[in-house]
Amino acid sequence: VDAERAIAALRPRTPHFLLGAVGTVPTRRRLGLAEAVLRPVLARASEEGVDASLEPSTESNLAFYSRLGFKALWHETLDGSGPQVWGMVRSGS
């Protein structure tokens, strides 16, 4: 709950699509599945002129989301030594 509160305070204040967890089992990675799931949502966000945000907790995923147009806006280590989280936003305009 404390971690959720800390992250919520960093999220965009403007209307946006908040994308939840996106994951692929290791044996199915790099087949385009995550992108296939995200593309329709990102297209809709663009059609509506609304930003999309997400919060990956694995640094290696930053490059993947960057290729989809997301930019990292913040980085937090929860509870000082806990998991790391990056806030990324993709402009809907």
Side-chain angles (χ1 to χ4, degrees):
V1 175
D2 290 335
E4 176 58 29
R5 241 183 267 130
I7 291 171
L10 298 169
R11 288 184 180 136
R13 302 278 183 238
T14 57
H16 65 283
F17 284 26
L18 176 60
L19 307 179
V22 176
T24 310
V25 296
T27 58
R28 305 293 293 176
R29 290 186 182 145
R30 305 208 185 282
L31 299 175
L33 300 173
E35 185 171 347
V37 168
L38 289 169
R39 283 282 173 203
V41 176
L42 297 177
R44 182 167 176 191
S46 293
E47 289 168 12
E48 295 183 18
V50 176
D51 294 348
S53 72
L54 48 77
E55 295 146 358
S57 58
T58 306
E59 188 171 9
S60 61
N61 288 337
L62 299 179
F64 168 71
Y65 292 120
S66 292
R67 285 192 302 275
L68 295 177
F70 286 88
K71 294 186 180 4
L73 299 183
W74 54 264
H75 170 246
E76 284 289 318
T77 301
L78 301 177
D79 297 327
S81 62
Q84 297 185 70
V85 179
W86 287 261
M88 301 185 80
V89 174
R90 180 181 183 269
S91 175
S93 56

Coordinates of all heavy atoms in Angstrom, one line a residue:
V1 N 0.8 -1.2 0.0 CA 0.0 0.0 0.0 C 0.9 1.2 0.0 O 0.6 2.2 -0.7 CB -1.0 0.0 1.2 CG1 -1.8 1.3 1.3 CG2 -1.9 -1.2 1.1
D2 N 1.9 1.3 0.8 CA 2.8 2.4 0.8 C 3.5 2.6 -0.5 O 3.6 3.7 -1.0 CB 3.9 2.3 1.9 CG 3.2 2.5 3.3 OD1 2.2 3.1 3.4 OD2 3.8 1.9 4.3
A3 N 3.9 1.5 -1.2 CA 4.6 1.6 -2.5 C 3.6 2.1 -3.5 O 3.9 3.0 -4.3 CB 5.1 0.3 -2.9
E4 N 2.3 1.7 -3.5 CA 1.3 2.2 -4.4 C 1.1 3.7 -4.2 O 1.0 4.4 -5.2 CB 0.0 1.4 -4.2 CG -1.1 1.9 -5.1 CD -0.8 1.9 -6.6 OE1 -0.1 1.0 -7.1 OE2 -1.4 2.7 -7.3
R5 N 1.0 4.1 -3.0 CA 0.8 5.5 -2.7 C 2.0 6.3 -3.2 O 1.8 7.4 -3.8 CB 0.7 5.7 -1.2 CG -0.7 6.3 -0.9 CD -0.8 6.7 0.6 NE -1.5 5.5 1.2 CZ -1.1 4.9 2.3 NH1 0.0 5.3 3.0 NH2 -1.7 3.8 2.8
A6 N 3.2 5.9 -3.0 CA 4.4 6.6 -3.5 C 4.4 6.7 -5.0 O 4.7 7.7 -5.6 CB 5.7 5.9 -3.0
I7 N 4.0 5.6 -5.7 CA 4.0 5.6 -7.2 C 2.8 6.5 -7.7 O 3.0 7.3 -8.6 CB 3.9 4.2 -7.7 CG1 5.2 3.4 -7.5 CG2 3.5 4.2 -9.2 CD1 5.1 1.9 -7.8
A8 N 1.7 6.4 -7.1 CA 0.5 7.2 -7.5 C 0.8 8.7 -7.5 O 0.4 9.4 -8.3 CB -0.7 6.9 -6.6
A9 N 1.6 9.1 -6.5 CA 2.0 10.5 -6.4 C 2.8 11.0 -7.6 O 2.9 12.2 -7.9 CB 2.7 10.8 -5.1
L10 N 3.5 10.0 -8.3 CA 4.4 10.4 -9.4 C 3.7 10.3 -10.8 O 4.3 10.7 -11.8 CB 5.6 9.4 -9.4 CG 6.5 9.6 -8.1 CD1 7.5 8.4 -8.1 CD2 7.2 10.9 -8.0
R11 N 2.5 9.7 -10.8 CA 1.8 9.5 -12.1 C 1.4 10.8 -12.7 O 1.2 11.8 -11.9 CB 0.6 8.6 -11.9 CG 1.0 7.2 -11.6 CD -0.2 6.3 -11.5 NE 0.2 4.9 -11.2 CZ -0.3 4.1 -10.3 NH1 -1.4 4.5 -9.7 NH2 0.2 2.9 -10.2
P12 N 1.2 10.9 -14.0 CA 0.7 12.1 -14.6 C -0.6 12.5 -14.0 O -1.5 11.7 -13.6 CB 0.4 11.7 -16.1 CG 1.3 10.5 -16.3 CD 1.3 9.8 -14.9
R13 N -0.8 13.8 -13.9 CA -2.0 14.4 -13.3 C -3.1 14.6 -14.4 O -4.3 14.8 -14.1 CB -1.7 15.8 -12.7 CG -0.7 15.7 -11.6 CD -1.3 15.2 -10.3 NE -0.4 15.2 -9.2 CZ -0.1 14.2 -8.5 NH1 -0.7 13.0 -8.8 NH2 0.8 14.2 -7.6
T14 N -2.7 14.6 -15.6 CA -3.7 14.7 -16.7 C -4.3 13.4 -17.0 O -3.8 12.3 -16.7 CB -3.0 15.3 -18.0 OG1 -1.9 14.4 -18.3 CG2 -2.4 16.7 -17.7
P15 N -5.5 13.4 -17.7 CA -6.1 12.1 -18.1 C -5.1 11.3 -18.9 O -4.4 11.8 -19.8 CB -7.3 12.5 -18.9 CG -7.6 13.9 -18.5 CD -6.3 14.5 -18.1
H16 N -5.0 10.0 -18.7 CA -4.1 9.1 -19.4 C -4.6 7.7 -19.2 O -5.4 7.4 -18.3 CB -2.7 9.3 -18.8 CG -2.5 8.9 -17.4 ND1 -2.9 9.7 -16.4 CD2 -2.0 7.8 -16.9 CE1 -2.6 9.1 -15.2 NE2 -2.1 7.9 -15.5
F17 N -4.1 6.8 -20.1 CA -4.3 5.4 -20.0 C -3.2 4.9 -19.1 O -2.0 5.0 -19.5 CB -4.2 4.7 -21.4 CG -5.4 4.9 -22.3 CD1 -6.3 6.0 -22.2 CD2 -5.7 4.0 -23.2 CE1 -7.4 6.2 -23.0 CE2 -6.8 4.2 -24.1 CZ -7.6 5.2 -24.0
L18 N -3.5 4.3 -18.0 CA -2.5 3.6 -17.2 C -2.5 2.2 -17.5 O -3.5 1.4 -17.3 CB -2.8 3.8 -15.7 CG -1.9 3.1 -14.7 CD1 -0.5 3.6 -14.8 CD2 -2.4 3.4 -13.3
L19 N -1.4 1.7 -18.1 CA -1.3 0.3 -18.5 C -0.7 -0.5 -17.4 O 0.3 -0.2 -16.8 CB -0.3 0.2 -19.7 CG -0.7 1.2 -20.9 CD1 0.3 1.0 -22.0 CD2 -2.1 0.9 -21.4
G20 N -1.4 -1.6 -17.1 CA -1.0 -2.5 -16.0 C 0.1 -3.4 -16.4 O 0.8 -3.1 -17.4
A21 N 0.3 -4.4 -15.7 CA 1.4 -5.3 -16.0 C 1.3 -6.0 -17.3 O 0.2 -6.4 -17.7 CB 1.4 -6.4 -14.9
V22 N 2.4 -6.0 -18.1 CA 2.5 -6.6 -19.3 C 3.7 -7.6 -19.2 O 4.8 -7.2 -18.8 CB 2.8 -5.6 -20.5 CG1 3.0 -6.4 -21.8 CG2 1.7 -4.6 -20.6
G23 N 3.4 -8.8 -19.4 CA 4.5 -9.8 -19.3 C 4.4 -11.0 -20.2 O 3.3 -11.3 -20.7
T24 N 5.5 -11.6 -20.5 CA 5.5 -12.7 -21.4 C 6.3 -13.8 -20.7 O 7.4 -13.5 -20.2 CB 6.1 -12.4 -22.8 OG1 5.5 -11.2 -23.2 CG2 6.0 -13.5 -23.8
V25 N 5.9 -15.0 -20.8 CA 6.7 -16.1 -20.2 C 8.0 -16.2 -21.0 O 8.1 -15.9 -22.2 CB 6.0 -17.5 -20.2 CG1 4.7 -17.4 -19.3 CG2 5.6 -17.9 -21.6
P26 N 9.1 -16.6 -20.3 CA 10.4 -16.5 -20.9 C 10.5 -17.3 -22.3 O 11.1 -16.8 -23.2 CB 11.3 -17.2 -19.9 CG 10.7 -16.8 -18.6 CD 9.2 -16.9 -18.9
T27 N 9.8 -18.4 -22.4 CA 9.9 -19.2 -23.7 C 9.2 -18.5 -24.8 O 9.3 -18.9 -26.0 CB 9.4 -20.6 -23.5 OG1 8.0 -20.5 -23.0 CG2 10.2 -21.4 -22.5
R28 N 8.4 -17.5 -24.5 CA 7.6 -16.8 -25.6 C 8.0 -15.4 -25.8 O 7.4 -14.7 -26.6 CB 6.1 -16.8 -25.2 CG 5.5 -18.2 -25.0 CD 5.5 -19.1 -26.2 NE 4.5 -18.5 -27.1 CZ 4.2 -19.0 -28.3 NH1 4.9 -20.0 -28.7 NH2 3.4 -18.4 -29.1
R29 N 9.1 -15.0 -25.3 CA 9.7 -13.6 -25.4 C 10.3 -13.4 -26.8 O 10.7 -14.4 -27.4 CB 10.7 -13.3 -24.3 CG 10.0 -13.2 -23.0 CD 10.9 -12.7 -21.9 NE 10.2 -12.7 -20.7 CZ 10.7 -12.9 -19.5 NH1 12.0 -13.2 -19.4 NH2 9.9 -12.9 -18.4
R30 N 10.3 -12.2 -27.2 CA 10.9 -11.8 -28.5 C 10.1 -12.3 -29.7 O 10.7 -12.5 -30.8 CB 12.4 -12.1 -28.5 CG 13.1 -11.5 -27.3 CD 14.6 -11.2 -27.7 NE 15.3 -10.8 -26.5 CZ 15.3 -9.6 -26.0 NH1 14.5 -8.7 -26.5 NH2 16.0 -9.3 -24.9
L31 N 8.8 -12.6 -29.5 CA 8.0 -13.0 -30.6 C 7.0 -11.9 -31.1 O 6.2 -12.2 -31.9 CB 7.3 -14.3 -30.3 CG 8.1 -15.5 -29.9 CD1 7.2 -16.7 -29.5 CD2 8.9 -15.9 -31.1
G32 N 7.1 -10.8 -30.4 CA 6.2 -9.7 -30.7 C 4.8 -9.7 -30.0 O 3.9 -9.0 -30.3
L33 N 4.7 -10.6 -29.0 CA 3.4 -10.8 -28.4 C 3.0 -9.6 -27.5 O 1.9 -9.1 -27.5 CB 3.4 -12.0 -27.5 CG 3.7 -13.4 -28.3 CD1 3.8 -14.5 -27.3 CD2 2.5 -13.6 -29.2
A34 N 4.0 -9.0 -26.7 CA 3.7 -7.9 -25.9 C 3.3 -6.7 -26.8 O 2.4 -6.0 -26.5 CB 4.9 -7.6 -25.0
E35 N 4.1 -6.5 -27.8 CA 3.8 -5.4 -28.7 C 2.4 -5.5 -29.4 O 1.6 -4.6 -29.5 CB 4.8 -5.2 -29.8 CG 4.6 -4.0 -30.7 CD 5.8 -3.7 -31.6 OE1 6.9 -4.3 -31.4 OE2 5.6 -2.9 -32.5
A36 N 2.0 -6.8 -29.7 CA 0.7 -7.0 -30.3 C -0.4 -6.7 -29.3 O -1.5 -6.2 -29.8 CB 0.6 -8.5 -30.8
V37 N -0.2 -6.9 -28.1 CA -1.2 -6.6 -27.1 C -1.3 -5.1 -26.9 O -2.4 -4.5 -26.7 CB -0.9 -7.3 -25.7 CG1 -1.7 -6.8 -24.6 CG2 -1.1 -8.8 -25.9
L38 N -0.1 -4.4 -26.9 CA -0.1 -3.0 -26.6 C -0.5 -2.1 -27.7 O -1.1 -1.1 -27.5 CB 1.3 -2.6 -26.2 CG 1.8 -3.1 -24.8 CD1 3.3 -2.8 -24.6 CD2 1.0 -2.4 -23.7
R39 N -0.3 -2.5 -29.0 CA -0.6 -1.7 -30.1 C -2.0 -1.2 -30.2 O -2.2 0.0 -30.4 CB -0.2 -2.4 -31.4 CG 1.3 -2.4 -31.7 CD 1.8 -1.0 -32.2 NE 3.2 -1.0 -32.3 CZ 3.9 0.1 -32.3 NH1 3.4 1.2 -32.2 NH2 5.2 0.0 -32.4
P40 N -3.0 -2.0 -30.0 CA -4.4 -1.5 -30.1 C -4.7 -0.4 -29.0 O -5.4 0.5 -29.3 CB -5.3 -2.7 -29.9 CG -4.4 -3.9 -30.3 CD -3.0 -3.5 -29.9
V41 N -4.2 -0.7 -27.8 CA -4.4 0.3 -26.7 C -3.7 1.6 -27.0 O -4.3 2.7 -26.8 CB -3.9 -0.3 -25.4 CG1 -4.1 0.7 -24.3 CG2 -4.7 -1.6 -25.1
L42 N -2.5 1.5 -27.5 CA -1.7 2.8 -27.9 C -2.4 3.5 -29.0 O -2.4 4.7 -29.1 CB -0.3 2.4 -28.2 CG 0.5 1.8 -27.0 CD1 1.9 1.5 -27.5 CD2 0.5 2.7 -25.8
A43 N -2.9 2.8 -30.0 CA -3.7 3.4 -31.1 C -4.9 4.1 -30.6 O -5.2 5.3 -31.0 CB -4.1 2.3 -32.1
R44 N -5.6 3.5 -29.7 CA -6.8 4.2 -29.1 C -6.4 5.4 -28.3 O -7.1 6.5 -28.5 CB -7.6 3.2 -28.2 CG -8.8 3.9 -27.7 CD -9.7 2.9 -27.1 NE -10.9 3.6 -26.5 CZ -11.7 3.1 -25.7 NH1 -11.7 1.8 -25.4 NH2 -12.7 3.9 -25.2
A45 N -5.3 5.3 -27.6 CA -4.9 6.5 -26.8 C -4.5 7.6 -27.8 O -4.9 8.8 -27.6 CB -3.7 6.1 -26.0
S46 N -3.9 7.3 -28.9 CA -3.5 8.3 -29.9 C -4.8 8.9 -30.5 O -4.9 10.1 -30.7 CB -2.6 7.7 -31.0 OG -1.4 7.4 -30.4
E47 N -5.8 8.0 -30.9 CA -7.0 8.5 -31.5 C -7.7 9.5 -30.5 O -8.3 10.5 -31.0 CB -7.9 7.3 -31.8 CG -7.5 6.5 -32.9 CD -8.3 5.2 -33.0 OE1 -9.3 5.0 -32.3 OE2 -7.8 4.3 -33.8
E48 N -7.7 9.2 -29.3 CA -8.4 10.1 -28.3 C -7.5 11.2 -27.8 O -7.9 12.1 -27.0 CB -8.8 9.2 -27.1 CG -9.8 8.2 -27.4 CD -10.3 7.4 -26.2 OE1 -10.1 7.8 -25.1 OE2 -10.9 6.3 -26.5
G49 N -6.2 11.3 -28.3 CA -5.3 12.3 -27.9 C -5.0 12.3 -26.4 O -4.7 13.3 -25.8
V50 N -4.9 11.1 -25.9 CA -4.6 10.9 -24.4 C -3.2 10.2 -24.3 O -2.9 9.3 -25.0 CB -5.7 10.0 -23.8 CG1 -5.4 9.7 -22.3 CG2 -7.0 10.7 -23.9
D51 N -2.5 10.6 -23.3 CA -1.2 9.9 -23.0 C -1.4 8.5 -22.5 O -2.5 8.2 -22.0 CB -0.4 10.7 -22.0 CG 0.0 12.1 -22.5 OD1 0.0 12.4 -23.7 OD2 0.5 12.9 -21.6
A52 N -0.4 7.7 -22.6 CA -0.4 6.4 -22.0 C 0.8 6.3 -21.0 O 1.9 6.8 -21.3 CB -0.3 5.3 -23.0
S53 N 0.6 5.7 -19.9 CA 1.7 5.6 -18.9 C 1.8 4.2 -18.4 O 0.8 3.4 -18.4 CB 1.5 6.6 -17.7 OG 0.5 6.2 -16.9
L54 N 3.0 3.8 -18.0 CA 3.2 2.5 -17.4 C 4.4 2.6 -16.5 O 5.2 3.6 -16.5 CB 3.4 1.4 -18.5 CG 4.4 1.7 -19.7 CD1 5.8 1.5 -19.2 CD2 4.1 0.7 -20.8
E55 N 4.6 1.5 -15.7 CA 5.6 1.6 -14.7 C 6.4 0.3 -14.6 O 6.2 -0.6 -13.8 CB 5.0 1.9 -13.3 CG 4.3 3.2 -13.3 CD 3.1 3.3 -12.5 OE1 2.6 2.3 -11.9 OE2 2.5 4.4 -12.4
P56 N 7.3 0.1 -15.5 CA 8.1 -1.2 -15.5 C 9.0 -1.2 -14.3 O 9.5 -0.2 -13.8 CB 8.9 -1.1 -16.8 CG 9.0 0.3 -17.2 CD 7.7 1.0 -16.6
S57 N 9.3 -2.4 -13.8 CA 10.1 -2.6 -12.7 C 11.4 -3.4 -13.1 O 12.1 -3.8 -12.2 CB 9.4 -3.4 -11.6 OG 8.9 -4.6 -12.0
T58 N 11.6 -3.5 -14.3 CA 12.8 -4.2 -14.8 C 13.5 -3.2 -15.8 O 12.9 -2.9 -16.8 CB 12.5 -5.5 -15.5 OG1 11.7 -6.3 -14.6 CG2 13.7 -6.3 -15.9
E59 N 14.7 -2.9 -15.5 CA 15.5 -1.9 -16.3 C 15.6 -2.4 -17.8 O 15.5 -1.6 -18.7 CB 16.8 -1.6 -15.7 CG 17.6 -0.5 -16.4 CD 18.8 -0.1 -15.7 OE1 19.2 -0.8 -14.7 OE2 19.4 0.9 -16.1
S60 N 15.7 -3.7 -18.0 CA 15.9 -4.2 -19.3 C 14.6 -3.9 -20.2 O 14.7 -4.0 -21.4 CB 16.2 -5.7 -19.3 OG 15.2 -6.4 -18.7
N61 N 13.5 -3.6 -19.6 CA 12.3 -3.4 -20.4 C 12.2 -1.9 -20.9 O 11.4 -1.6 -21.8 CB 11.0 -3.7 -19.6 CG 10.8 -5.1 -19.4 OD1 11.3 -6.0 -20.2 ND2 10.1 -5.5 -18.3
L62 N 13.1 -1.1 -20.4 CA 13.0 0.4 -20.8 C 13.2 0.5 -22.3 O 12.6 1.3 -22.9 CB 14.0 1.2 -20.0 CG 13.9 1.2 -18.5 CD1 15.0 2.0 -17.9 CD2 12.5 1.7 -18.1
A63 N 14.2 -0.2 -22.9 CA 14.4 -0.1 -24.3 C 13.2 -0.5 -25.1 O 12.9 0.1 -26.1 CB 15.7 -0.9 -24.7
F64 N 12.6 -1.6 -24.7 CA 11.4 -2.1 -25.4 C 10.3 -1.0 -25.4 O 9.7 -0.7 -26.5 CB 10.8 -3.4 -24.8 CG 9.5 -3.7 -25.2 CD1 9.3 -4.2 -26.5 CD2 8.4 -3.6 -24.4 CE1 8.0 -4.6 -27.0 CE2 7.1 -3.9 -24.8 CZ 6.9 -4.4 -26.1
Y65 N 10.0 -0.4 -24.3 CA 8.9 0.6 -24.2 C 9.4 1.9 -24.9 O 8.5 2.5 -25.5 CB 8.6 0.9 -22.7 CG 7.9 -0.3 -22.1 CD1 8.4 -0.9 -21.0 CD2 6.7 -0.8 -22.6 CE1 7.7 -2.0 -20.4 CE2 6.0 -1.9 -22.1 CZ 6.5 -2.5 -20.9 OH 5.9 -3.6 -20.4
S66 N 10.6 2.2 -24.9 CA 11.1 3.4 -25.6 C 10.9 3.2 -27.1 O 10.5 4.2 -27.8 CB 12.6 3.6 -25.4 OG 12.8 3.9 -24.0
R67 N 11.1 2.0 -27.6 CA 10.8 1.8 -29.1 C 9.3 2.0 -29.4 O 9.0 2.3 -30.6 CB 11.2 0.3 -29.5 CG 12.7 0.2 -29.6 CD 13.1 -1.1 -30.3 NE 12.6 -2.3 -29.6 CZ 13.2 -2.9 -28.6 NH1 14.3 -2.5 -28.1 NH2 12.7 -4.0 -28.1
L68 N 8.4 1.8 -28.4 CA 7.0 2.1 -28.6 C 6.6 3.5 -28.4 O 5.5 3.9 -28.4 CB 6.2 1.2 -27.7 CG 6.3 -0.3 -28.0 CD1 5.5 -1.1 -27.0 CD2 5.8 -0.7 -29.4
G69 N 7.6 4.4 -28.1 CA 7.4 5.8 -28.0 C 7.3 6.3 -26.6 O 7.0 7.5 -26.3
F70 N 7.5 5.5 -25.6 CA 7.5 5.9 -24.2 C 8.8 6.6 -23.8 O 9.9 6.2 -24.3 CB 7.3 4.7 -23.2 CG 5.9 4.2 -23.3 CD1 5.5 3.2 -24.2 CD2 4.9 4.6 -22.4 CE1 4.2 2.7 -24.2 CE2 3.6 4.1 -22.4 CZ 3.3 3.2 -23.3
K71 N 8.7 7.5 -22.9 CA 9.9 8.2 -22.4 C 9.9 8.1 -20.8 O 8.8 8.2 -20.2 CB 9.9 9.7 -22.7 CG 10.0 9.9 -24.2 CD 10.1 11.4 -24.5 CE 10.3 11.8 -25.9 NZ 10.2 10.8 -27.0
A72 N 11.0 7.7 -20.3 CA 11.1 7.6 -18.8 C 11.1 9.0 -18.2 O 11.9 9.9 -18.6 CB 12.4 6.9 -18.5
L73 N 10.2 9.2 -17.3 CA 10.1 10.5 -16.6 C 10.6 10.5 -15.2 O 11.0 11.5 -14.6 CB 8.6 11.0 -16.6 CG 8.0 11.2 -17.9 CD1 6.6 11.7 -17.7 CD2 8.8 12.2 -18.8
W74 N 10.6 9.3 -14.6 CA 11.1 9.2 -13.2 C 11.6 7.8 -12.9 O 11.2 6.9 -13.6 CB 10.1 9.7 -12.2 CG 8.7 9.0 -12.2 CD1 7.6 9.5 -12.9 CD2 8.3 7.8 -11.7 NE1 6.6 8.6 -12.8 CE2 6.9 7.6 -12.0 CE3 8.9 6.8 -10.9 CZ2 6.2 6.4 -11.6 CZ3 8.2 5.7 -10.5 CH2 6.9 5.5 -10.8
H75 N 12.3 7.7 -11.8 CA 12.9 6.4 -11.4 C 12.9 6.4 -9.9 O 13.4 7.4 -9.3 CB 14.3 6.2 -12.0 CG 15.0 5.0 -11.4 ND1 16.1 5.2 -10.6 CD2 14.7 3.7 -11.4 CE1 16.5 4.0 -10.2 NE2 15.7 3.1 -10.7
E76 N 12.3 5.4 -9.3 CA 12.3 5.3 -7.8 C 12.8 4.0 -7.3 O 12.5 3.0 -8.0 CB 10.8 5.5 -7.3 CG 10.3 6.9 -7.3 CD 11.0 7.8 -6.3 OE1 11.2 7.4 -5.1 OE2 11.3 9.0 -6.6
T77 N 13.4 4.0 -6.2 CA 13.7 2.7 -5.5 C 12.8 2.7 -4.3 O 12.9 3.6 -3.4 CB 15.2 2.6 -5.0 OG1 16.0 2.7 -6.2 CG2 15.5 1.3 -4.3
L78 N 11.8 1.8 -4.3 CA 10.8 1.8 -3.3 C 11.4 1.5 -1.9 O 12.2 0.6 -1.8 CB 9.7 0.9 -3.7 CG 9.0 1.2 -5.0 CD1 8.0 0.1 -5.3 CD2 8.4 2.6 -5.0
D79 N 10.9 2.2 -0.9 CA 11.3 2.0 0.5 C 12.8 2.1 0.6 O 13.4 1.5 1.5 CB 10.9 0.6 1.0 CG 9.3 0.5 1.1 OD1 8.7 1.5 1.3 OD2 8.8 -0.6 0.8
G80 N 13.5 2.9 -0.3 CA 14.9 3.1 -0.1 C 15.8 2.0 -0.6 O 16.9 2.3 -1.2
S81 N 15.4 0.8 -0.4 CA 16.2 -0.3 -0.9 C 15.4 -1.5 -1.5 O 16.0 -2.5 -1.8 CB 17.0 -0.9 0.3 OG 16.1 -1.4 1.3
G82 N 14.2 -1.2 -1.8 CA 13.3 -2.2 -2.4 C 13.4 -2.2 -3.9 O 14.4 -1.8 -4.5
P83 N 12.3 -2.7 -4.5 CA 12.3 -2.8 -6.0 C 12.4 -1.4 -6.7 O 12.0 -0.4 -6.1 CB 11.0 -3.5 -6.3 CG 10.3 -3.7 -5.0 CD 11.1 -3.2 -3.9
Q84 N 13.0 -1.4 -7.8 CA 13.1 -0.2 -8.6 C 11.8 -0.1 -9.5 O 11.3 -1.1 -10.0 CB 14.3 -0.2 -9.4 CG 15.6 -0.2 -8.6 CD 16.8 0.0 -9.4 OE1 17.0 1.0 -10.0 NE2 17.6 -1.1 -9.5
V85 N 11.4 1.1 -9.8 CA 10.3 1.3 -10.7 C 10.6 2.6 -11.5 O 11.1 3.6 -11.0 CB 9.0 1.6 -9.9 CG1 7.8 1.8 -10.8 CG2 8.6 0.4 -9.0
W86 N 10.3 2.5 -12.8 CA 10.4 3.6 -13.7 C 9.1 4.1 -14.2 O 8.2 3.2 -14.5 CB 11.3 3.2 -14.9 CG 12.7 3.0 -14.6 CD1 13.7 3.9 -14.9 CD2 13.3 1.8 -14.1 NE1 14.9 3.4 -14.5 CE2 14.7 2.1 -14.0 CE3 12.8 0.6 -13.7 CZ2 15.6 1.1 -13.6 CZ3 13.7 -0.3 -13.2 CH2 15.1 -0.1 -13.1
G87 N 8.8 5.4 -14.2 CA 7.6 5.9 -14.7 C 7.8 6.3 -16.2 O 8.7 7.1 -16.4
M88 N 7.0 5.8 -17.1 CA 7.2 6.1 -18.5 C 5.9 6.6 -19.1 O 4.8 6.1 -18.7 CB 7.7 4.9 -19.3 CG 9.0 4.3 -18.8 SD 9.6 2.9 -19.8 CE 10.4 3.9 -21.1
V89 N 6.0 7.6 -20.0 CA 4.8 8.1 -20.6 C 5.0 8.2 -22.1 O 6.1 8.5 -22.6 CB 4.5 9.5 -20.0 CG1 3.3 10.2 -20.8 CG2 4.1 9.4 -18.5
R90 N 3.9 7.9 -22.8 CA 3.9 8.0 -24.3 C 2.8 9.1 -24.6 O 1.7 9.0 -24.2 CB 3.5 6.7 -24.9 CG 3.4 6.8 -26.4 CD 3.0 5.4 -26.9 NE 3.0 5.3 -28.3 CZ 1.9 5.5 -29.1 NH1 0.8 5.9 -28.6 NH2 2.0 5.4 -30.4
S91 N 3.2 10.1 -25.3 CA 2.3 11.2 -25.7 C 1.2 10.7 -26.6 O 1.5 10.0 -27.6 CB 3.1 12.3 -26.3 OG 2.2 13.3 -26.8
G92 N 0.0 11.1 -26.3 CA -1.1 10.8 -27.2 C -1.4 11.8 -28.3 O -2.3 11.6 -29.1
S93 N -0.6 12.9 -28.3 CA -0.9 13.9 -29.3 C 0.0 13.7 -30.5 O 0.9 13.0 -30.5 CB -0.6 15.3 -28.7 OG 0.7 15.4 -28.2

